[in-house]
PDB file of all heavy atoms in Angstrom:
ATOM      1  N   LYS A  10       0.829  -1.200   0.000  1.00  0.00           N
ATOM      2  CA  LYS A  10       0.000   0.000   0.000  1.00  0.00           C
ATOM      3  C   LYS A  10       0.867   1.255   0.000  1.00  0.00           C
ATOM      4  O   LYS A  10       0.648   2.189  -0.761  1.00  0.00           O
ATOM      5  CB  LYS A  10      -0.921   0.021   1.227  1.00  0.00           C
ATOM      6  CG  LYS A  10      -2.096  -0.942   1.137  1.00  0.00           C
ATOM      7  CD  LYS A  10      -2.926  -0.846   2.404  1.00  0.00           C
ATOM      8  CE  LYS A  10      -4.162  -1.722   2.294  1.00  0.00           C
ATOM      9  NZ  LYS A  10      -5.348  -0.962   1.917  1.00  0.00           N
ATOM     10  N   LEU A  11       1.842   1.277   0.894  1.00  0.00           N
ATOM     11  CA  LEU A  11       2.674   2.454   1.051  1.00  0.00           C
ATOM     12  C   LEU A  11       3.665   2.605  -0.097  1.00  0.00           C
ATOM     13  O   LEU A  11       4.459   1.706  -0.373  1.00  0.00           O
ATOM     14  CB  LEU A  11       3.434   2.378   2.379  1.00  0.00           C
ATOM     15  CG  LEU A  11       4.438   3.503   2.628  1.00  0.00           C
ATOM     16  CD1 LEU A  11       3.713   4.824   2.827  1.00  0.00           C
ATOM     17  CD2 LEU A  11       5.308   3.191   3.834  1.00  0.00           C
ATOM     18  N   ALA A  12       3.591   3.743  -0.785  1.00  0.00           N
ATOM     19  CA  ALA A  12       4.619   4.103  -1.756  1.00  0.00           C
ATOM     20  C   ALA A  12       5.532   5.084  -1.050  1.00  0.00           C
ATOM     21  O   ALA A  12       5.230   6.278  -0.954  1.00  0.00           O
ATOM     22  CB  ALA A  12       3.997   4.729  -3.002  1.00  0.00           C
ATOM     23  N   ASN A  13       6.626   4.593  -0.498  1.00  0.00           N
ATOM     24  CA  ASN A  13       7.465   5.414   0.361  1.00  0.00           C
ATOM     25  C   ASN A  13       8.307   6.384  -0.459  1.00  0.00           C
ATOM     26  O   ASN A  13       8.498   6.227  -1.666  1.00  0.00           O
ATOM     27  CB  ASN A  13       8.369   4.517   1.215  1.00  0.00           C
ATOM     28  CG  ASN A  13       8.855   5.232   2.458  1.00  0.00           C
ATOM     29  OD1 ASN A  13       8.357   6.298   2.797  1.00  0.00           O
ATOM     30  ND2 ASN A  13       9.817   4.651   3.135  1.00  0.00           N
ATOM     31  N   CYS A  14       8.813   7.414   0.218  1.00  0.00           N
ATOM     32  CA  CYS A  14       9.694   8.371  -0.440  1.00  0.00           C
ATOM     33  C   CYS A  14      11.143   7.895  -0.318  1.00  0.00           C
ATOM     34  O   CYS A  14      11.469   7.016   0.478  1.00  0.00           O
ATOM     35  CB  CYS A  14       9.536   9.756   0.175  1.00  0.00           C
ATOM     36  SG  CYS A  14       9.779   9.812   1.965  1.00  0.00           S
ATOM     37  N   GLU A  15      12.002   8.484  -1.114  1.00  0.00           N
ATOM     38  CA  GLU A  15      13.402   8.070  -1.129  1.00  0.00           C
ATOM     39  C   GLU A  15      14.160   8.611   0.083  1.00  0.00           C
ATOM     40  O   GLU A  15      15.060   7.961   0.606  1.00  0.00           O
ATOM     41  CB  GLU A  15      14.072   8.536  -2.430  1.00  0.00           C
ATOM     42  CG  GLU A  15      13.482   7.896  -3.680  1.00  0.00           C
ATOM     43  CD  GLU A  15      14.026   8.533  -4.952  1.00  0.00           C
ATOM     44  OE1 GLU A  15      15.008   9.310  -4.854  1.00  0.00           O
ATOM     45  OE2 GLU A  15      13.471   8.263  -6.029  1.00  0.00           O
ATOM     46  N   SER A  16      13.815   9.809   0.514  1.00  0.00           N
ATOM     47  CA  SER A  16      14.529  10.439   1.619  1.00  0.00           C
ATOM     48  C   SER A  16      14.220   9.740   2.941  1.00  0.00           C
ATOM     49  O   SER A  16      13.104   9.290   3.185  1.00  0.00           O
ATOM     50  CB  SER A  16      14.138  11.916   1.726  1.00  0.00           C
ATOM     51  OG  SER A  16      14.715  12.504   2.871  1.00  0.00           O
ATOM     52  N   ARG A  17      15.222   9.656   3.794  1.00  0.00           N
ATOM     53  CA  ARG A  17      15.031   9.153   5.159  1.00  0.00           C
ATOM     54  C   ARG A  17      15.183  10.278   6.180  1.00  0.00           C
ATOM     55  O   ARG A  17      15.270  10.043   7.371  1.00  0.00           O
ATOM     56  CB  ARG A  17      16.044   8.032   5.461  1.00  0.00           C
ATOM     57  CG  ARG A  17      15.736   6.731   4.707  1.00  0.00           C
ATOM     58  CD  ARG A  17      14.401   6.153   5.184  1.00  0.00           C
ATOM     59  NE  ARG A  17      14.108   4.860   4.571  1.00  0.00           N
ATOM     60  CZ  ARG A  17      13.404   4.698   3.456  1.00  0.00           C
ATOM     61  NH1 ARG A  17      12.937   5.769   2.818  1.00  0.00           N
ATOM     62  NH2 ARG A  17      13.161   3.492   2.970  1.00  0.00           N
ATOM     63  N   ASP A  18      15.219  11.513   5.676  1.00  0.00           N
ATOM     64  CA  ASP A  18      15.295  12.690   6.545  1.00  0.00           C
ATOM     65  C   ASP A  18      13.873  13.091   6.920  1.00  0.00           C
ATOM     66  O   ASP A  18      13.127  13.622   6.093  1.00  0.00           O
ATOM     67  CB  ASP A  18      16.011  13.834   5.830  1.00  0.00           C
ATOM     68  CG  ASP A  18      16.218  15.048   6.737  1.00  0.00           C
ATOM     69  OD1 ASP A  18      15.606  15.091   7.826  1.00  0.00           O
ATOM     70  OD2 ASP A  18      16.983  15.953   6.353  1.00  0.00           O
ATOM     71  N   ALA A  19      13.487  12.811   8.167  1.00  0.00           N
ATOM     72  CA  ALA A  19      12.105  13.048   8.596  1.00  0.00           C
ATOM     73  C   ALA A  19      11.694  14.513   8.442  1.00  0.00           C
ATOM     74  O   ALA A  19      10.538  14.811   8.148  1.00  0.00           O
ATOM     75  CB  ALA A  19      11.931  12.608  10.046  1.00  0.00           C
ATOM     76  N   LYS A  20      12.633  15.439   8.630  1.00  0.00           N
ATOM     77  CA  LYS A  20      12.308  16.864   8.565  1.00  0.00           C
ATOM     78  C   LYS A  20      11.891  17.291   7.162  1.00  0.00           C
ATOM     79  O   LYS A  20      11.179  18.284   6.990  1.00  0.00           O
ATOM     80  CB  LYS A  20      13.497  17.703   9.040  1.00  0.00           C
ATOM     81  CG  LYS A  20      13.813  17.534  10.518  1.00  0.00           C
ATOM     82  CD  LYS A  20      14.989  18.401  10.936  1.00  0.00           C
ATOM     83  CE  LYS A  20      15.303  18.225  12.422  1.00  0.00           C
ATOM     84  NZ  LYS A  20      16.460  19.040  12.854  1.00  0.00           N
ATOM     85  N   LYS A  21      12.337  16.552   6.144  1.00  0.00           N
ATOM     86  CA  LYS A  21      12.025  16.909   4.762  1.00  0.00           C
ATOM     87  C   LYS A  21      10.905  16.051   4.176  1.00  0.00           C
ATOM     88  O   LYS A  21      10.412  16.338   3.088  1.00  0.00           O
ATOM     89  CB  LYS A  21      13.279  16.761   3.893  1.00  0.00           C
ATOM     90  CG  LYS A  21      14.423  17.686   4.277  1.00  0.00           C
ATOM     91  CD  LYS A  21      15.633  17.448   3.392  1.00  0.00           C
ATOM     92  CE  LYS A  21      16.795  18.366   3.791  1.00  0.00           C
ATOM     93  NZ  LYS A  21      18.011  18.105   2.968  1.00  0.00           N
ATOM     94  N   SER A  22      10.524  14.988   4.882  1.00  0.00           N
ATOM     95  CA  SER A  22       9.579  14.025   4.317  1.00  0.00           C
ATOM     96  C   SER A  22       8.147  14.302   4.755  1.00  0.00           C
ATOM     97  O   SER A  22       7.901  14.836   5.837  1.00  0.00           O
ATOM     98  CB  SER A  22       9.975  12.605   4.747  1.00  0.00           C
ATOM     99  OG  SER A  22      11.286  12.297   4.328  1.00  0.00           O
ATOM    100  N   GLU A  23       7.205  13.897   3.901  1.00  0.00           N
ATOM    101  CA  GLU A  23       5.792  14.029   4.230  1.00  0.00           C
ATOM    102  C   GLU A  23       5.029  12.845   3.641  1.00  0.00           C
ATOM    103  O   GLU A  23       5.430  12.275   2.619  1.00  0.00           O
ATOM    104  CB  GLU A  23       5.226  15.346   3.697  1.00  0.00           C
ATOM    105  CG  GLU A  23       5.500  15.632   2.238  1.00  0.00           C
ATOM    106  CD  GLU A  23       5.162  17.064   1.836  1.00  0.00           C
ATOM    107  OE1 GLU A  23       5.404  17.977   2.655  1.00  0.00           O
ATOM    108  OE2 GLU A  23       4.649  17.256   0.721  1.00  0.00           O
ATOM    109  N   ILE A  24       3.956  12.457   4.309  1.00  0.00           N
ATOM    110  CA  ILE A  24       3.159  11.324   3.859  1.00  0.00           C
ATOM    111  C   ILE A  24       1.715  11.767   3.659  1.00  0.00           C
ATOM    112  O   ILE A  24       1.148  12.461   4.503  1.00  0.00           O
ATOM    113  CB  ILE A  24       3.242  10.139   4.852  1.00  0.00           C
ATOM    114  CG1 ILE A  24       2.485   8.930   4.313  1.00  0.00           C
ATOM    115  CG2 ILE A  24       2.761  10.523   6.241  1.00  0.00           C
ATOM    116  CD1 ILE A  24       2.725   7.654   5.104  1.00  0.00           C
ATOM    117  N   PHE A  25       1.142  11.397   2.513  1.00  0.00           N
ATOM    118  CA  PHE A  25      -0.243  11.710   2.193  1.00  0.00           C
ATOM    119  C   PHE A  25      -1.088  10.458   2.416  1.00  0.00           C
ATOM    120  O   PHE A  25      -0.807   9.401   1.840  1.00  0.00           O
ATOM    121  CB  PHE A  25      -0.384  12.165   0.743  1.00  0.00           C
ATOM    122  CG  PHE A  25       0.185  13.527   0.471  1.00  0.00           C
ATOM    123  CD1 PHE A  25       1.539  13.705   0.258  1.00  0.00           C
ATOM    124  CD2 PHE A  25      -0.647  14.637   0.427  1.00  0.00           C
ATOM    125  CE1 PHE A  25       2.070  14.959  -0.003  1.00  0.00           C
ATOM    126  CE2 PHE A  25      -0.125  15.898   0.170  1.00  0.00           C
ATOM    127  CZ  PHE A  25       1.238  16.065  -0.040  1.00  0.00           C
ATOM    128  N   ILE A  26      -2.113  10.577   3.247  1.00  0.00           N
ATOM    129  CA  ILE A  26      -3.069   9.486   3.420  1.00  0.00           C
ATOM    130  C   ILE A  26      -4.227   9.788   2.478  1.00  0.00           C
ATOM    131  O   ILE A  26      -4.971  10.754   2.675  1.00  0.00           O
ATOM    132  CB  ILE A  26      -3.546   9.393   4.876  1.00  0.00           C
ATOM    133  CG1 ILE A  26      -2.351   9.205   5.810  1.00  0.00           C
ATOM    134  CG2 ILE A  26      -4.525   8.237   5.042  1.00  0.00           C
ATOM    135  CD1 ILE A  26      -2.703   9.262   7.272  1.00  0.00           C
ATOM    136  N   VAL A  27      -4.345   8.972   1.419  1.00  0.00           N
ATOM    137  CA  VAL A  27      -5.249   9.290   0.308  1.00  0.00           C
ATOM    138  C   VAL A  27      -6.421   8.320   0.286  1.00  0.00           C
ATOM    139  O   VAL A  27      -6.237   7.105   0.371  1.00  0.00           O
ATOM    140  CB  VAL A  27      -4.497   9.230  -1.040  1.00  0.00           C
ATOM    141  CG1 VAL A  27      -5.402   9.716  -2.168  1.00  0.00           C
ATOM    142  CG2 VAL A  27      -3.226  10.060  -0.975  1.00  0.00           C
ATOM    143  N   GLU A  28      -7.613   8.883   0.150  1.00  0.00           N
ATOM    144  CA  GLU A  28      -8.824   8.067   0.092  1.00  0.00           C
ATOM    145  C   GLU A  28      -8.981   7.460  -1.301  1.00  0.00           C
ATOM    146  O   GLU A  28      -9.008   8.170  -2.310  1.00  0.00           O
ATOM    147  CB  GLU A  28     -10.038   8.950   0.417  1.00  0.00           C
ATOM    148  CG  GLU A  28     -11.376   8.296   0.138  1.00  0.00           C
ATOM    149  CD  GLU A  28     -12.487   9.316  -0.088  1.00  0.00           C
ATOM    150  OE1 GLU A  28     -12.240  10.522   0.050  1.00  0.00           O
ATOM    151  OE2 GLU A  28     -13.598   8.877  -0.410  1.00  0.00           O
ATOM    152  N   GLY A  29      -9.061   6.140  -1.368  1.00  0.00           N
ATOM    153  CA  GLY A  29      -9.390   5.466  -2.619  1.00  0.00           C
ATOM    154  C   GLY A  29      -8.187   5.082  -3.455  1.00  0.00           C
ATOM    155  O   GLY A  29      -7.187   5.797  -3.513  1.00  0.00           O
ATOM    156  N   ASP A  30      -8.297   3.926  -4.150  1.00  0.00           N
ATOM    157  CA  ASP A  30      -7.203   3.445  -4.987  1.00  0.00           C
ATOM    158  C   ASP A  30      -6.992   4.329  -6.212  1.00  0.00           C
ATOM    159  O   ASP A  30      -5.875   4.507  -6.682  1.00  0.00           O
ATOM    160  CB  ASP A  30      -7.472   2.000  -5.430  1.00  0.00           C
ATOM    161  CG  ASP A  30      -7.376   1.024  -4.256  1.00  0.00           C
ATOM    162  OD1 ASP A  30      -6.656   1.368  -3.290  1.00  0.00           O
ATOM    163  OD2 ASP A  30      -8.003  -0.043  -4.304  1.00  0.00           O
ATOM    164  N   SER A  31      -8.091   4.896  -6.756  1.00  0.00           N
ATOM    165  CA  SER A  31      -7.980   5.730  -7.952  1.00  0.00           C
ATOM    166  C   SER A  31      -7.158   6.987  -7.669  1.00  0.00           C
ATOM    167  O   SER A  31      -6.198   7.296  -8.374  1.00  0.00           O
ATOM    168  CB  SER A  31      -9.378   6.113  -8.449  1.00  0.00           C
ATOM    169  OG  SER A  31      -9.286   7.004  -9.537  1.00  0.00           O
ATOM    170  N   ALA A  32      -7.558   7.705  -6.607  1.00  0.00           N
ATOM    171  CA  ALA A  32      -6.807   8.912  -6.230  1.00  0.00           C
ATOM    172  C   ALA A  32      -5.401   8.541  -5.796  1.00  0.00           C
ATOM    173  O   ALA A  32      -4.446   9.271  -6.054  1.00  0.00           O
ATOM    174  CB  ALA A  32      -7.534   9.648  -5.117  1.00  0.00           C
ATOM    175  N   GLY A  33      -5.274   7.384  -5.133  1.00  0.00           N
ATOM    176  CA  GLY A  33      -3.952   6.931  -4.712  1.00  0.00           C
ATOM    177  C   GLY A  33      -3.033   6.692  -5.887  1.00  0.00           C
ATOM    178  O   GLY A  33      -1.844   7.030  -5.850  1.00  0.00           O
ATOM    179  N   GLY A  34      -3.590   6.116  -6.949  1.00  0.00           N
ATOM    180  CA  GLY A  34      -2.788   5.882  -8.154  1.00  0.00           C
ATOM    181  C   GLY A  34      -2.323   7.174  -8.789  1.00  0.00           C
ATOM    182  O   GLY A  34      -1.147   7.307  -9.172  1.00  0.00           O
ATOM    183  N   SER A  35      -3.237   8.148  -8.897  1.00  0.00           N
ATOM    184  CA  SER A  35      -2.857   9.450  -9.455  1.00  0.00           C
ATOM    185  C   SER A  35      -1.815  10.134  -8.584  1.00  0.00           C
ATOM    186  O   SER A  35      -0.872  10.752  -9.080  1.00  0.00           O
ATOM    187  CB  SER A  35      -4.103  10.344  -9.574  1.00  0.00           C
ATOM    188  OG  SER A  35      -5.011   9.830 -10.513  1.00  0.00           O
ATOM    189  N   ALA A  36      -2.013  10.030  -7.257  1.00  0.00           N
ATOM    190  CA  ALA A  36      -1.080  10.686  -6.336  1.00  0.00           C
ATOM    191  C   ALA A  36       0.313  10.073  -6.432  1.00  0.00           C
ATOM    192  O   ALA A  36       1.325  10.780  -6.370  1.00  0.00           O
ATOM    193  CB  ALA A  36      -1.605  10.585  -4.898  1.00  0.00           C
ATOM    194  N   LYS A  37       0.383   8.754  -6.600  1.00  0.00           N
ATOM    195  CA  LYS A  37       1.685   8.099  -6.726  1.00  0.00           C
ATOM    196  C   LYS A  37       2.429   8.580  -7.972  1.00  0.00           C
ATOM    197  O   LYS A  37       3.652   8.741  -7.961  1.00  0.00           O
ATOM    198  CB  LYS A  37       1.510   6.581  -6.776  1.00  0.00           C
ATOM    199  CG  LYS A  37       1.137   5.966  -5.433  1.00  0.00           C
ATOM    200  CD  LYS A  37       0.919   4.459  -5.544  1.00  0.00           C
ATOM    201  CE  LYS A  37       0.494   3.866  -4.200  1.00  0.00           C
ATOM    202  NZ  LYS A  37       0.246   2.411  -4.285  1.00  0.00           N
ATOM    203  N   MET A  38       1.680   8.818  -9.059  1.00  0.00           N
ATOM    204  CA  MET A  38       2.303   9.317 -10.293  1.00  0.00           C
ATOM    205  C   MET A  38       2.662  10.794 -10.181  1.00  0.00           C
ATOM    206  O   MET A  38       3.655  11.247 -10.748  1.00  0.00           O
ATOM    207  CB  MET A  38       1.360   9.096 -11.473  1.00  0.00           C
ATOM    208  CG  MET A  38       1.202   7.650 -11.888  1.00  0.00           C
ATOM    209  SD  MET A  38       0.296   7.470 -13.441  1.00  0.00           S
ATOM    210  CE  MET A  38      -1.351   7.965 -12.928  1.00  0.00           C
ATOM    211  N   ALA A  39       1.843  11.547  -9.430  1.00  0.00           N
ATOM    212  CA  ALA A  39       2.023  12.998  -9.379  1.00  0.00           C
ATOM    213  C   ALA A  39       3.086  13.445  -8.391  1.00  0.00           C
ATOM    214  O   ALA A  39       3.704  14.492  -8.561  1.00  0.00           O
ATOM    215  CB  ALA A  39       0.691  13.651  -9.006  1.00  0.00           C
ATOM    216  N   ARG A  40       3.339  12.685  -7.373  1.00  0.00           N
ATOM    217  CA  ARG A  40       4.167  13.107  -6.246  1.00  0.00           C
ATOM    218  C   ARG A  40       5.628  13.337  -6.640  1.00  0.00           C
ATOM    219  O   ARG A  40       6.107  12.878  -7.687  1.00  0.00           O
ATOM    220  CB  ARG A  40       4.136  12.024  -5.163  1.00  0.00           C
ATOM    221  CG  ARG A  40       4.826  10.741  -5.640  1.00  0.00           C
ATOM    222  CD  ARG A  40       4.810   9.655  -4.607  1.00  0.00           C
ATOM    223  NE  ARG A  40       5.352   8.421  -5.113  1.00  0.00           N
ATOM    224  CZ  ARG A  40       6.223   7.657  -4.463  1.00  0.00           C
ATOM    225  NH1 ARG A  40       6.648   8.018  -3.267  1.00  0.00           N
ATOM    226  NH2 ARG A  40       6.650   6.532  -4.997  1.00  0.00           N
ATOM    227  N   ASN A  41       6.348  14.001  -5.759  1.00  0.00           N
ATOM    228  CA  ASN A  41       7.802  14.080  -5.849  1.00  0.00           C
ATOM    229  C   ASN A  41       8.351  12.916  -5.018  1.00  0.00           C
ATOM    230  O   ASN A  41       8.270  12.919  -3.791  1.00  0.00           O
ATOM    231  CB  ASN A  41       8.300  15.412  -5.283  1.00  0.00           C
ATOM    232  CG  ASN A  41       9.791  15.601  -5.458  1.00  0.00           C
ATOM    233  OD1 ASN A  41      10.564  14.660  -5.332  1.00  0.00           O
ATOM    234  ND2 ASN A  41      10.207  16.827  -5.743  1.00  0.00           N
ATOM    235  N   ARG A  42       8.871  11.916  -5.680  1.00  0.00           N
ATOM    236  CA  ARG A  42       9.290  10.685  -5.014  1.00  0.00           C
ATOM    237  C   ARG A  42      10.390  10.913  -3.980  1.00  0.00           C
ATOM    238  O   ARG A  42      10.579  10.110  -3.080  1.00  0.00           O
ATOM    239  CB  ARG A  42       9.791   9.663  -6.052  1.00  0.00           C
ATOM    240  CG  ARG A  42       8.702   9.161  -6.967  1.00  0.00           C
ATOM    241  CD  ARG A  42       9.283   8.291  -8.085  1.00  0.00           C
ATOM    242  NE  ARG A  42       8.213   7.809  -8.949  1.00  0.00           N
ATOM    243  CZ  ARG A  42       7.573   6.663  -8.763  1.00  0.00           C
ATOM    244  NH1 ARG A  42       7.917   5.886  -7.745  1.00  0.00           N
ATOM    245  NH2 ARG A  42       6.607   6.284  -9.571  1.00  0.00           N
ATOM    246  N   LEU A  43      11.116  12.018  -4.131  1.00  0.00           N
ATOM    247  CA  LEU A  43      12.236  12.264  -3.235  1.00  0.00           C
ATOM    248  C   LEU A  43      11.771  12.405  -1.790  1.00  0.00           C
ATOM    249  O   LEU A  43      12.373  11.833  -0.875  1.00  0.00           O
ATOM    250  CB  LEU A  43      13.001  13.517  -3.664  1.00  0.00           C
ATOM    251  CG  LEU A  43      14.213  13.895  -2.813  1.00  0.00           C
ATOM    252  CD1 LEU A  43      15.263  12.794  -2.853  1.00  0.00           C
ATOM    253  CD2 LEU A  43      14.797  15.223  -3.273  1.00  0.00           C
ATOM    254  N   TYR A  44      10.677  13.150  -1.551  1.00  0.00           N
ATOM    255  CA  TYR A  44      10.284  13.441  -0.172  1.00  0.00           C
ATOM    256  C   TYR A  44       8.799  13.210   0.122  1.00  0.00           C
ATOM    257  O   TYR A  44       8.349  13.413   1.248  1.00  0.00           O
ATOM    258  CB  TYR A  44      10.642  14.887   0.186  1.00  0.00           C
ATOM    259  CG  TYR A  44       9.928  15.929  -0.641  1.00  0.00           C
ATOM    260  CD1 TYR A  44       8.699  16.437  -0.246  1.00  0.00           C
ATOM    261  CD2 TYR A  44      10.476  16.398  -1.827  1.00  0.00           C
ATOM    262  CE1 TYR A  44       8.033  17.382  -0.995  1.00  0.00           C
ATOM    263  CE2 TYR A  44       9.824  17.352  -2.597  1.00  0.00           C
ATOM    264  CZ  TYR A  44       8.605  17.830  -2.177  1.00  0.00           C
ATOM    265  OH  TYR A  44       7.940  18.762  -2.935  1.00  0.00           O
ATOM    266  N   GLN A  45       8.011  12.760  -0.885  1.00  0.00           N
ATOM    267  CA  GLN A  45       6.579  12.566  -0.657  1.00  0.00           C
ATOM    268  C   GLN A  45       6.205  11.089  -0.728  1.00  0.00           C
ATOM    269  O   GLN A  45       6.432  10.431  -1.751  1.00  0.00           O
ATOM    270  CB  GLN A  45       5.763  13.356  -1.690  1.00  0.00           C
ATOM    271  CG  GLN A  45       5.840  14.865  -1.481  1.00  0.00           C
ATOM    272  CD  GLN A  45       5.030  15.639  -2.509  1.00  0.00           C
ATOM    273  OE1 GLN A  45       4.913  15.224  -3.657  1.00  0.00           O
ATOM    274  NE2 GLN A  45       4.479  16.776  -2.092  1.00  0.00           N
TER     275      GLN A  45
END
């Protein structure tokens, strides 16, 4: 379920809890993988 970010620096990282697989799929494509 979790598409984790690449960074392990907690101060720079953020996690989005997204409702639904459809929005989750779009969010995974849209995000900045480095810190989101």
